[in-house]
Amino acid sequence: MNNHKNIEMYIFSCALFLSGCTKEIPVQLYEQTTEKPFLDVIQDAEFAITEHNFRITNRLHIGEAIQKRGSTDFPQNEVILFCNLTLAEDMLRIEPRYINYCPYKITITELNDQVIVGTRLLPTQHMNAEMDKIAKEINKTLSAMVEYAAADDLFMFDDIQEAN
């Protein structure tokens, strides 16, 4: 009987220890909403991606594929995947597990009469200050891309770029 309790305590202790070993990182999304037409948002997202020196690696036409399967009333959904190999190399030299954030992506989703533009941000609470700095810079760039794609008045961004 005493031996049975020891085994239970051992299993409980192992489970408690293992749950502390794996740190689940919460996913942080950055989204903006616009009333611009869906295709205009895609075009502006692609422009923002290339203007920030990223290369588009793939596009996933999720909504279109579902519509072709017969759900003609399904809303449009698009995922644009992109990368900058220099940033990826810098990031992965510090933290190889951040490969899970590559490639970066912007999502464009139709919802009622609006379009939602979003991206997944990198975690910035790393144990390495250099990694945090890189992640914050990448997040700043990703957020700027989303803002540009969702902006109704793109001339305001031209004024910002001219000032810099």
Side-chain angles (χ1 to χ4, degrees), residues 17-55:
F17 174 75
L18 290 175
S19 69
C21 288
T22 57
K23 180 180 176 188
E24 187 172 319
I25 299 172
V27 174
Q28 184 179 356
L29 301 177
Y30 181 78
E31 295 180 333
Q32 294 285 309
T33 303
T34 183
E35 293 182 8
K36 287 183 353 186
F38 185 80
L39 292 176
D40 288 354
V41 176
I42 289 175
Q43 196 171 38
D44 290 341
E46 290 172 340
F47 179 79
I49 290 165
T50 58
E51 281 297 300
H52 283 91
N53 202 27
F54 286 79
R55 181 173 171 263

Side-chain angles (χ1 to χ4, degrees), residues 79-94:
V79 179
I80 304 172
L81 304 170
F82 54 96
C83 188
N84 175 308
L85 290 177
T86 302
L87 283 176
E89 179 182 7
D90 293 345
M91 180 175 75
L92 296 175
R93 284 188 187 278
I94 298 168

Side-chain angles (χ1 to χ4, degrees), residues 16 50 56 60 62 66 70 75 99 108 111 114 116 123 130 134 151 163:
L16 188 62
T50 58
I56 295 173
L60 306 174
I62 306 293
I66 292 172
I99 190 69
I108 300 132
L111 184 63
Q114 296 184 322
I116 300 170
E130 190 176 350
I134 291 171

Side-chain angles (χ1 to χ4, degrees), residues 36-160:
K36 287 183 353 186
F38 185 80
L39 292 176
D40 288 354
V41 176
I42 289 175
Q43 196 171 38
D44 290 341
E46 290 172 340
F47 179 79
I49 290 165
T50 58
E51 281 297 300
H52 283 91
N53 202 27
F54 286 79
R55 181 173 171 263
I56 295 173
T57 58
N58 204 351
R59 287 182 53 179
L60 306 174
H61 311 283
I62 306 293
E64 183 181 319
I66 292 172
Q67 290 170 2
K68 285 181 180 177
R69 289 178 54 192
S71 297
T72 55
D73 61 340
F74 195 83
Q76 297 183 82
N77 288 274
E78 188 91 10
V79 179
I80 304 172
L81 304 170
F82 54 96
C83 188
N84 175 308
L85 290 177
T86 302
L87 283 176
E89 179 182 7
D90 293 345
M91 180 175 75
L92 296 175
R93 284 188 187 278
I94 298 168
E95 180 52 77
R97 286 176 278 179
Y98 271 47
I99 190 69
N100 290 296
Y101 296 96
C102 295
Y104 307 109
K105 69 180 177 180
I106 287 181
T107 60
I108 300 132
T109 304
E110 241 182 2
L111 184 63
N112 302 323
D113 293 334
Q114 296 184 322
V115 176
I116 300 170
V117 187
T119 191
R120 177 184 56 207
L121 301 176
L122 278 69
T124 56
Q125 300 298 315
H126 196 271
M127 293 170 53
N128 183 308
E130 190 176 350
M131 185 65 238
D132 285 348
K133 181 180 175 188
I134 291 171
K136 286 175 185 175
E137 280 301 311
I138 292 171
N139 288 347
K140 182 177 168 184
T141 301
L142 293 171
S143 298
M145 290 177 193
V146 167
E147 290 168 10
Y148 184 88
D152 291 322
D153 181 12
L154 295 179
F155 293 112
M156 69 180 200
F157 286 101
D158 293 336
D159 295 338
I160 293 170

